[in-house]
Amino acid sequence: MSSTARFPKNLVACLLFMSGGTALVYELVWSKYLGNVLGNSGQAHAVVLATFMGGQALGAFVFGRTADRARNPLALYGLLELGVGLYAFAFPYVLDVLGALWLSVAPSVPEGWRLGPRLVVSATSLLIPTLLMGGTLPALVRHFASSLSGVRYELARLYAVNSLGAAVGVFIAGTKLVPAIGLSSSAGLAAGLNILLALAALALARRFPPALMPGQTPPPEAGEAEVSYPRVAVRAALIGVLLSGFTSMLYQVTWIRLLSIVLGASTYAFTLILTAFIMGIGLGSFWLMTRKGQVDSLRLFGRLQVALVASICVALPLYVRLPHLFRKAQWMMTRSLDTWPLFQVLTFSFCCLVLLVPTFFMGAAFPAAARVATAKVSEVGRQLGGVYLWNTVGTITGSALGVLVLMPWWGMEGNFIAGVAANLLGAGLAFHAAPGRPAQPARALWPVAATAVLALGVLGGMSGWAVRLSGIASIRSHEKPPESYAKLVADTEAIIRPIFYQDDTFATVMVADAPVENLRFMKLNGKIDASNGGDAETQVVAGHLGALLHPREPKTVLLVGAGAAITAGSVLAHPVEHLDMVEIAPAVIDAARLFKADNRNAVDDPRTHVHVDDAKTFMALSPRKYDLVVSVPSNPWVAGVSGLFTRDFFQTVDRHLADDGVLVQWIHTYESNEDLIKLVVRTLRDTFPHATTWLGPHDLVMVASRKPLAFDAARLAERMGHPEVRKDLSRVGINDVFALLSKQVHSEAGQLEFAGEGPINTDDHNLLEYASPIAFFVSNLDVRVRDERRAPEGADRLFVHDYVQQHPPTAEQAAGLYRNIERYHAPNDPMVRGAAAQWRRLAPDSPESALALGKAALAQQDLTLAASLLEPEVARGGREPALVTAYLRLVTARTWASRTLWTPVGALHDTVALGREVASRHPDDEHLARALRSLCEALPRSSCEGTAPAPVAAPGGP
């Protein structure tokens, strides 16, 4: 073939590569647009995906026939691309109209029946562009093919080029383009590129006619080189391609869930998973293009299905080991902004490890089956469109059933079993219908039978692997992983006991007990999202603050995010009449019932009305006005969650609040950074003119309203005195007004000063969605925001300042505040020392206050103050384990701080003897045992060997 003949093919292939990229930009952007309107629930995602793929299949069917009749199919391709680009510019306006229609119709439709209206909105908005996109590949194949062999070569080549372009497009859009310029600008850029591609294609069409004009007969030598397949073989290929489409989407939704548990469910992880998936398909098609000579395409399709099943069976034992492998790989990395790209490479490598081989076989299977169905060059567009239609019926079924029905029914394990069975059925049909097959079925179908035996052994023998995967997954682990997978499993099973597991439409949910710590926790996609342990205070305070500070007793409340329903239980401690609890993951509701003792049976309280939906969508469709909205979603680095921290969401909340309504909004500081926290606060204040910040240091709870919230100490004391409220707050150490007010971090003015000037987080340009995963990777666990309780100018703007002027705290209240602060703050936190110092000032003769301040001083390495407090208590005969533990740590710290070659430290036999004496009486006190071991490590070996002298009243220090 001459370079003149090759030139347009190669150039047009480049155009198709770029149009494949723009198509995935559109899919990413339009899916997010529709998610903002229809919601981010599993149902909404399935509807959008099914619509996108269905429109493309219909386009291939319709425009495939048109391409057969067109005098210049390349010109048709150009017009199709032009139509896509022009529609992309109009899409936001179309969606505005359809969104208004959705908001007017959907409220009158029962919640369980809103699938229909969602489908109508999605289909109407996406039908035109996806129809046009679907016609591009059949048009180009028809333009360049002059024989059946040419059809089959061009189909594989162009399918590969288009898929690889799509992989590049989704990668650039998801990791660079949308994070940098937002949704509307990204769509506009893709639309402009589409129009340029269209103009280039139209210009080339004027110079290069199609290889075969409509009605023209192929050259005899080319027509004789290929033999078309009989009807039974074509039927087997079409059924096979339907089953292949079904399994490809079934596997995709399952792999996405599996890798989300392993890698974390961030938007970057989703992008890299999709990139690897599409890249594998493109590489498979490219390999098929390079196959030379006569190949029985139907038999090849069957072999590819068998190879796909075998690859999954071989990889399945790897899947459950992925958390261990990923943790080991992460452990070797330094976490910083500079290594974030390296982490992305690592994440993509794991995606390829799981996806590349099976998707390679998928990518080769489609054009192989399409070769069987294309029997006539002059009708290649129609025939190829028919293949697309059959394939897409399968993909739509796989995506919709896989997410909405099969995943909740039998989980990830069942999805793999169903996919393997469908692949083997497709392979069996192909081998049975292949021309020239052996007469005996056993000889024809032996590859299917052998692979079925392999699948039965692997899938049956590994039953229960999904629960183990979720149990050992630890996305935010910061400790060195065990040396082997077996050790990780053994350590995990020794610590935790799973009591609930379910794969639902949105997440994989597990509840487990850690008996040694008396802890119960809930995992969503491998990440602990709720527990009755350290984060209980945040959940409880978030439930109470709005009701306590509200101008009146709130009667109607909306809670965003169920979690363990502890926040719901705290809300219901107040005289609330109606609580709407909105949770996007259905299994979370069942899991929350297992926290009945901690959430006061909130899920089944008659005042609670559970709604499984996206919070933004639920609120947009709800006719109710709420006195109080409490938003406690998951971390914003989780894909989709950052939409609950945008101006658009806060404006939706504002529209559904009563005139004196209050919003309580949670945000975390750990694994974040100050700029992101300021972004959230700034965005909140852009909608709500009045807000204060509470709690800290690792979680912040903001209380926002349209009108200023007047502080009334008597009213607050009365509400806190309600028996259920008092009981609920007391379990987190908040027993009085003073303790609660001491949790305030920012006044209204102080919060504004902290937020400062800067960008606002919006649905169109969701800065938080793309910056949060990076901050999570850097993993700064101790991010401190500017706290007015420690402000240089004093805390006179905080509620507690005026309150203590009228109600000075007692020693008992100071002790309670210290115990609360010490329980939830780091030992070296200045707030701990401040609370201890206040208690010591109010109770100067208390040994407990001396120990509290001594421990705080020791944690801050103030050894002089610690010694002045701890040594007199020990000298007076204090032998409480906590006191002796602190004293041993003090002596150890002073030993290391003072000992040199010129200033040796003695054996300290008296101190060691004291430690041993108290440790012998309290053998289960691990803190005391650890302090004694640390002291011995700081002393000569002889100091801790043999029998120590009897202790004296006041052991000597170094």
Side-chain angles (χ1 to χ4, degrees), residues 246-308:
F246 170 80
T247 60
S248 69
M249 295 311 299
L250 188 65
Y251 290 141
Q252 185 189 61
V253 299
T254 310
W255 281 325
I256 287 174
R257 179 66 59 81
L258 185 152
L259 287 169
S260 297
I261 294 172
V262 175
L263 308 175
S266 73
T267 189
Y268 289 105
F270 282 124
T271 296
L272 296 175
I273 293 168
L274 195 55
T275 300
F277 188 92
I278 299 172
M279 187 174 76
I281 289 174
L283 292 175
S285 299
F286 183 81
W287 169 82
L288 188 66
M289 178 195 77
T290 64
R291 298 274 292 176
K292 303 294 184 182
Q294 296 295 317
V295 177
D296 184 341
S297 297
L298 188 56
R299 189 170 279 109
L300 175 62
F301 175 81
R303 291 170 182 161
L304 289 168
Q305 296 302 295
V306 167
L308 172 58

Side-chain angles (χ1 to χ4, degrees), residues 414-743:
N415 274 4
F416 277 119
I417 293 171
V420 163
N423 285 134
L424 291 176
L425 176 60
L429 291 173
F431 286 128
H432 180 74
R437 68 174 177 84
Q440 296 85 1
R443 290 185 60 193
L445 299 178
W446 75 263
V448 178
T451 311
V453 171
L454 172 66
L456 189 63
V458 173
L459 296 173
M462 290 193 61
S463 178
W465 63 264
V467 178
R468 176 172 289 180
L469 174 81
S470 192
I472 65 175
S474 184
I475 297 167
R476 54 162 50 109
S477 176
H478 303 288
E479 299 176 356
K480 184 177 180 180
E483 295 178 359
S484 67
Y485 163 73
K487 182 75 163 54
L488 174 62
V489 172
D491 290 351
T492 303
E493 292 180 350
I495 296 172
I496 71 168
R497 181 173 59 87
I499 59 173
F500 175 90
Y501 177 89
Q502 186 175 334
D503 297 305
D504 70 18
T505 57
F506 192 80
T508 291
V509 181
M510 186 181 83
V511 177
D513 286 335
V516 174
E517 301 178 41
N518 194 27
L519 178 71
R520 176 166 290 182
F521 61 88
M522 182 191 299
K523 271 187 171 184
L524 267 69
N525 289 341
K527 181 181 84 70
I528 296 178
D529 251 7
S531 77
N532 58 6
D535 57 350
E537 185 193 36
T538 300
Q539 299 173 72
V540 169
V541 170
H544 285 289
L545 264 179
L548 292 172
L549 298 177
H550 202 286
R552 55 185 172 82
E553 294 275 15
K555 300 302 180 183
T556 57
V557 181
L558 170 65
L559 174 63
V560 176
I566 292 174
T567 298
S570 296
V571 170
L572 292 170
H574 298 267
V576 170
E577 295 176 357
H578 182 100
L579 171 65
D580 281 326
M581 184 164 66
V582 183
E583 171 56 50
I584 199 168
V588 168
I589 302 301
D590 293 328
R593 288 188 168 95
L594 298 174
F595 291 83
K596 183 177 179 178
D598 303 291
N599 61 34
R600 306 172 68 252
N601 197 26
V603 177
D604 296 313
D605 189 294
R607 296 171 291 170
T608 302
H609 302 265
V610 175
H611 307 271
V612 177
D613 203 348
D614 174 85
K616 194 182 298 185
T617 306
F618 172 83
M619 206 176 303
L621 300 178
S622 175
R624 188 182 296 273
K625 292 277 189 177
Y626 295 97
D627 299 326
L628 174 63
V629 174
V630 181
S631 181
V632 284
S634 187
N635 306 76
W637 63 263
V638 177
V641 176
S642 59
L644 301 178
F645 296 90
T646 64
R647 175 169 57 192
D648 309 74
F649 173 72
F650 292 140
Q651 289 174 345
T652 301
V653 172
D654 185 46
R655 288 193 296 271
H656 288 81
L657 278 175
D659 288 341
D660 59 352
V662 171
L663 165 66
V664 174
Q665 177 68 57
W666 166 87
I667 186 64
H668 64 96
T669 64
Y670 57 89
E671 298 164 340
S672 185
N673 60 56
E674 189 174 87
D675 288 339
L676 292 182
I677 301 164
K678 287 180 177 179
L679 173 67
V680 172
V681 175
R682 193 185 307 122
T683 302
L684 178 81
R685 293 301 294 266
D686 184 69
T687 299
F688 292 96
H690 305 282
T692 53
T693 310
W694 299 73
L695 214 61
H698 303 303
D699 297 276
L700 301 178
V701 176
M702 294 174 285
V703 181
S705 58
R706 297 192 196 103
K707 301 175 182 178
L709 297 178
F711 173 64
D712 186 329
R715 183 182 64 197
L716 180 58
E718 180 185 355
R719 292 180 183 176
M720 290 184 67
H722 187 283
E724 293 297 322
V725 175
R726 183 172 64 249
K727 180 180 178 182
D728 197 51
L729 283 169
S730 66
R731 63 175 167 155
V732 293
I734 298 177
N735 299 301
D736 48 59
V737 174
F738 170 68
L740 179 69
L741 295 183
S742 296
K743 292 290 182 180

Side-chain angles (χ1 to χ4, degrees), residues 402-415:
V403 172
L404 301 179
V405 179
L406 301 181
M407 185 73 84
W409 187 15
W410 53 30
M412 289 189 290
E413 294 186 36
N415 274 4

Side-chain angles (χ1 to χ4, degrees), residues 12 24 124 130 189 223 302 317 360 400 474 539 670 711 770 839:
V12 172
L24 264 292
T124 307
T130 53
L189 191 62
F360 177 91
S474 184
Q539 299 173 72
Y670 57 89
F711 173 64
Y770 295 96
W839 181 17

